[in-house]
Amino acid sequence: MRRDGPRDPVTGPESGPSSPFPLKLNGKVVKGFGRGSKELGIPTANIPIAGLSVGGHKDVESGVYYGWAGLGGKEEFGKQGKVYPMVMSIGWNPFYKNTVRSVEVHIMHKFYKDFYGAHMNLLILAFIRPEYDYVSKESLIKDIKEDVEVAKRSLERKAYTELKEDGYLLEFEDEGHKVEVAT
């Protein structure tokens, strides 16, 4: 259940991410549950969560996070790939009673077609809130939209904006080999 009262307008220290952040996670974009776009109007790019380990941390709390997403391996992202702001959920999605933990990434950009199979590198910079169960789909959507606004405001700060240039975001693997990205 969601806590009452106003939410913090930003999260994470002004000086930039603090331990254990930033966390790194990557994988190929796979088909998810099909709820993000269709039911919620909030499309997500999903990646498998191998062994429930995120950036080498096996104890990552279920909840909502924000950071940057690098996308590559598809023509629409160009030869070098592209970086976008993102907000993401790691967890069980109790509203939907999932039986498996998932990683669902909402990239804060309008895409006009699916990009399954693209490679996605995530630089997770801070925690927004824990995972909640909701009494209605409308209350879930309202909270997700507020998460997006918190992420936008948080990423606008200098220490977080600079991390958009982290080379990791555009280092993609192709058939087991690291792809060198020209800068």
Side-chain angles (χ1 to χ4, degrees):
M1 172 164 254
R2 186 183 187 281
R3 69 178 185 164
D4 291 329
R7 303 245 315 257
D8 291 331
V10 297
T11 67
E14 192 68 30
S15 59
S18 61
S19 185
F21 302 103
L23 297 173
K24 296 176 179 179
L25 179 64
N26 66 66
K28 295 280 185 184
V29 176
V30 297
K31 195 161 184 66
F33 298 107
R35 298 184 294 237
S37 292
K38 293 180 185 86
E39 275 190 48
L40 304 175
I42 302 162
T44 59
N46 303 281
I47 58 174
I49 184 163
L52 302 183
S53 175
V54 178
H57 296 269
K58 294 185 186 304
D59 58 350
V60 172
E61 180 180 355
S62 289
V64 179
Y65 297 82
Y66 69 87
W68 298 105
L71 289 169
K74 290 278 189 179
E75 191 175 306
E76 56 264 39
F77 304 121
K79 194 172 184 177
Q80 295 184 1
K82 293 190 178 175
V83 176
Y84 302 95
M86 65 85 179
V87 62
M88 65 185 289
S89 166
I90 298 174
W92 300 94
N93 301 315
F95 179 76
Y96 287 104
K97 315 240 182 302
N98 286 5
T99 58
V100 294
R101 201 168 184 217
S102 64
V103 175
E104 298 175 288
V105 180
H106 174 65
I107 298 173
M108 298 185 301
H109 177 81
K110 176 72 173 166
F111 293 97
Y112 294 96
K113 65 180 185 174
D114 292 332
F115 48 91
Y116 298 122
H119 195 88
M120 183 162 56
N121 292 342
L122 301 174
L123 191 63
I124 305 166
L125 302 179
F127 182 77
I128 295 178
R129 64 171 175 85
E131 182 173 57
Y132 298 126
D133 197 355
Y134 292 88
V135 296
S136 70
K137 184 169 41 172
E138 293 73 27
S139 62
L140 170 62
I141 292 168
K142 182 179 177 186
D143 242 14
I144 293 171
K145 288 181 176 180
E146 181 60 24
D147 295 334
V148 169
E149 293 305 312
V150 169
K152 281 181 189 174
R153 288 188 296 266
S154 297
L155 286 168
E156 288 173 347
R157 297 173 298 166
K158 186 176 190 288
Y160 294 85
T161 300
E162 289 173 349
L163 289 167
K164 182 179 182 182
E165 304 301 321
D166 188 305
Y168 162 78
L169 289 165
L170 295 175
E171 292 173 1
F172 303 108
E173 303 216 358
D174 182 33
E175 297 178 20
H177 299 94
K178 191 176 196 177
V179 176
E180 295 298 323
V181 178
T183 54

